[in-house]
């Protein structure tokens, strides 16, 4: 995910100190039940699509925007799948430290053609849920939660 300008501005003043940042992930399903994945340019791994909301942007709007910007696929956000503070902060090669709070949306594809649409991905593809490529636990857990109906998943106060 490219670093938004407003984060660059904060970093200019805050240096490498730990920042708590919102993140949004999208599990996009097509009419055949396949999931849209992108192979990331930064680490070469397949994953769901995601990004950071711009100031004042609603998280569902972020999910839809990021999917289109990165893959060329148009979608609608249907429901919140989960809300989760990621277990560990991330330290980037330049020393910046971030701890992400992720909101994941299940989205329904409505148009467009899956293709690499910007420099953040190397490949884009649709995958049957029972034939996914190797994925991180982050992506796999979100995909597993997406079909469920009812309340979004979250870790209750006090842990599991």
């Amino acid at each position: 995910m490219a670093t938004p300008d407003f984060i660059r501005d904060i970093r200019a003043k805050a240096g490498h100190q730990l920042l708590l940042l919102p993140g949004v992930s999208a599990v996009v399903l097509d009419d055949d039940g396949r999931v849209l994945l992108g192979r990331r340019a930064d680490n070469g791994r397949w994953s769901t699509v995601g990004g950071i909301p711009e100031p004042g942007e609603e998280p569902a709007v972020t999910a839809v925007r990021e999917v289109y910007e990165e893959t060329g696929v148009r979608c609608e956000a249907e429901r919140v799948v989960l809300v989760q503070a990621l277990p560990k902060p991330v330290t980037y090669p330049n020393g910046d430290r971030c701890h992400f709070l992720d909101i994941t949306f299940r989205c329904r594809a409505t148009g467009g053609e899956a293709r690499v649409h910007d420099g953040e991905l190397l490949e884009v593809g649709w995958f049957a849920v029972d034939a996914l490529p190797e994925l991180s636990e982050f992506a796999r857990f979100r995909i597993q939660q997406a079909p469920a109906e009812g309340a979004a998943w979250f870790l209750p106060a006090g842990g599991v």
Side-chain angles (χ1 to χ4, degrees), residues 32-83:
D32 296 323
R34 298 177 304 168
V35 64
L36 179 67
L37 299 175
R39 194 163 65 85
R40 297 172 53 112
D42 62 350
N43 63 17
R45 299 196 63 186
W46 288 97
S47 190
T48 55
V49 175
I52 296 173
E54 294 293 333
E57 184 177 49
E58 291 293 333
V61 172
T62 303
V64 169
R65 175 181 56 78
E66 290 286 345
V67 169
Y68 181 72
E69 287 177 358
E70 295 182 20
T71 71
V73 171
R74 298 221 178 260
C75 68
E76 293 178 357
E78 293 183 320
R79 69 182 295 273
V80 173
V81 171
L82 67 84
V83 177

Side-chain angles (χ1 to χ4, degrees), residues 24-156:
V24 172
S25 301
V27 178
V28 182
L29 300 170
D30 68 6
D31 290 339
D32 296 323
R34 298 177 304 168
V35 64
L36 179 67
L37 299 175
R39 194 163 65 85
R40 297 172 53 112
D42 62 350
N43 63 17
R45 299 196 63 186
W46 288 97
S47 190
T48 55
V49 175
I52 296 173
E54 294 293 333
E57 184 177 49
E58 291 293 333
V61 172
T62 303
V64 169
R65 175 181 56 78
E66 290 286 345
V67 169
Y68 181 72
E69 287 177 358
E70 295 182 20
T71 71
V73 171
R74 298 221 178 260
C75 68
E76 293 178 357
E78 293 183 320
R79 69 182 295 273
V80 173
V81 171
L82 67 84
V83 177
Q84 179 184 35
L86 300 189
K88 296 184 214 173
V90 176
T91 301
Y92 291 97
N94 69 355
D96 288 352
R97 295 176 54 233
C98 300
H99 197 161
F100 289 98
L101 172 67
D102 180 66
I103 303 168
T104 300
F105 290 89
R106 179 180 70 202
C107 299
R108 183 176 52 84
T110 60
E113 184 176 326
R115 66 187 189 288
V116 174
H117 203 231
D118 70 10
E120 294 186 46
L121 299 176
L122 300 172
E123 293 179 74
V124 174
W126 291 102
F127 295 86
V129 176
D130 61 355
L132 297 172
E134 183 179 335
L135 295 170
S136 66
E137 182 58 31
F138 173 93
R140 190 166 297 284
F141 183 66
R142 281 151 179 74
I143 293 166
Q144 289 170 345
Q145 297 300 311
E149 296 300 331
W153 183 93
F154 65 95
L155 188 62

